[in-house]
Amino acid sequence: MDVRREAFGDHLCVRPSPGSNHPPRLLPPTLTETAEDSCVSYKTACFLDDVNLMPAYSLEGITPVVHPEAFVHETAVLIGDVIIGANCYIGPNASLRGDFGRIIVEDGANVQDTCVMHSFPGKDCVVERNGHIGHGAVLHGCRIGANAMVGMNAVVMDNALIGDSSIIGATAFVAAGFECPPGSLVVGAPASIKRSLSEEEINWKSRGTLEYQQLAQRCKASLKSTDALTSVEDDRARIKIGKYEFKP
């Protein structure tokens, strides 16, 4: 299929032929440098679904690292010293800026839509193995322990240490230097330890994280750019997921 190529800042915009149903896509400089100027196929240049195209930016010679078994949405942004482990899920519009300190997301963790990870110079911001960072949360120079969860729109500040298998409630503000032992429920603004979590609550959290690990693989297998339909189909299928139970 013929394509039209045109400059778009430092990127190359590849547009399909007139009449095509496929949207245009941007190629970053790292791909355009190796593309043939004379002709490039639409499948390779435009869709790139098989290679999980994402905005990743090298800074001062330091390039983000993403494990092949991780999924990073193409609208997420990784800058500089960022390390993403296996089976991780990085959601749409997440911003992981390793321009001052190192950003680490260990194996099996998820960082969901519009989350921000950043830190002061020389400090690491870490989500340990199987960590779970809910929509819109902000992590700055802190460490989230293994199998811990940070709720939606919570903020965790510098040098905070969240114990393994703890849960930070939605909208909580965790002050700089805060620490909690493993298995803590932390809520409020400023946040404080409310109580210890039950085994049932920790297991519930773990099942939710497993769903996100599976979502990473589902996205790698089938997520692709498309045009929206203009009407609902008859007998429209539903997304099939596991038996994760909502817990208010």
Side-chain angles (χ1 to χ4, degrees):
M1 180 182 294
D2 293 334
V3 296
R4 293 174 291 160
R5 297 154 58 89
E6 56 192 70
F8 192 91
D10 292 334
H11 292 62
L12 189 71
C13 183
V14 182
R15 299 184 182 276
S17 302
S20 170
N21 292 324
H22 298 304
R25 298 294 292 269
L26 292 179
L27 293 178
T30 53
L31 287 180
T32 60
E33 288 170 359
T34 60
E36 295 180 4
D37 292 333
S38 58
C39 180
V40 63
S41 72
Y42 179 78
K43 177 177 174 60
T44 301
C46 266
F47 257 71
L48 293 168
D49 294 310
D50 294 337
V51 297
N52 186 24
L53 179 63
M54 71 193 81
Y57 299 90
S58 175
L59 180 65
E60 296 170 349
I62 299 178
T63 301
V65 176
V66 178
H67 193 282
E69 295 180 5
F71 173 80
V72 179
H73 192 272
E74 63 180 16
T75 62
V77 178
L78 313 181
I79 298 175
D81 197 359
V82 177
I83 301 172
I84 308 296
N87 297 314
C88 289
Y89 173 90
I90 309 299
N93 295 306
S95 175
L96 284 66
R97 284 178 45 211
D99 47 15
F100 286 163
R102 179 167 293 175
I103 308 299
I104 302 173
V105 182
E106 295 186 355
D107 293 356
N110 66 79
V111 179
Q112 298 171 24
D113 323 51
T114 73
C115 288
V116 175
M117 293 184 67
H118 195 238
S119 65
F120 284 131
K123 299 290 185 179
D124 293 351
C125 187
V126 181
V127 178
E128 294 185 10
R129 189 180 184 91
N130 298 329
H132 191 110
I133 312 303
H135 316 290
V138 177
L139 309 182
H140 203 277
C142 57
R143 177 175 285 269
I144 308 301
N147 201 44
M149 183 175 89
V150 177
M152 293 180 283
N153 288 313
V155 176
V156 185
M157 293 299 293
D158 301 273
N159 299 316
L161 299 175
I162 306 304
D164 295 353
S165 299
S166 293
I167 293 178
I168 308 298
T171 75
F173 177 79
V174 179
F178 176 92
E179 296 186 20
C180 68
S184 297
L185 175 63
V186 178
V187 298
S192 61
I193 300 171
K194 184 174 183 180
R195 59 175 173 83
S196 295
L197 293 168
S198 67
E199 182 177 353
E200 179 185 3
E201 289 169 321
I202 293 173
N203 289 338
W204 169 81
K205 180 270 161 198
S206 299
R207 291 195 300 273
T209 301
L210 177 60
E211 292 288 351
Y212 269 92
Q213 293 167 356
Q214 294 172 345
L215 177 60
Q217 302 311 311
R218 289 167 55 205
C219 288
K220 287 176 68 65
S222 67
L223 185 70
K224 62 181 180 180
S225 178
T226 188
D227 290 333
L229 302 175
T230 57
S231 62
V232 180
E233 319 98 297
D234 294 335
D235 299 322
R236 180 177 174 87
R238 289 184 176 271
I239 295 291
K240 296 179 180 180
I241 57 174
K243 296 181 179 180
Y244 179 70
E245 299 174 358
F246 171 70
K247 184 179 180 65

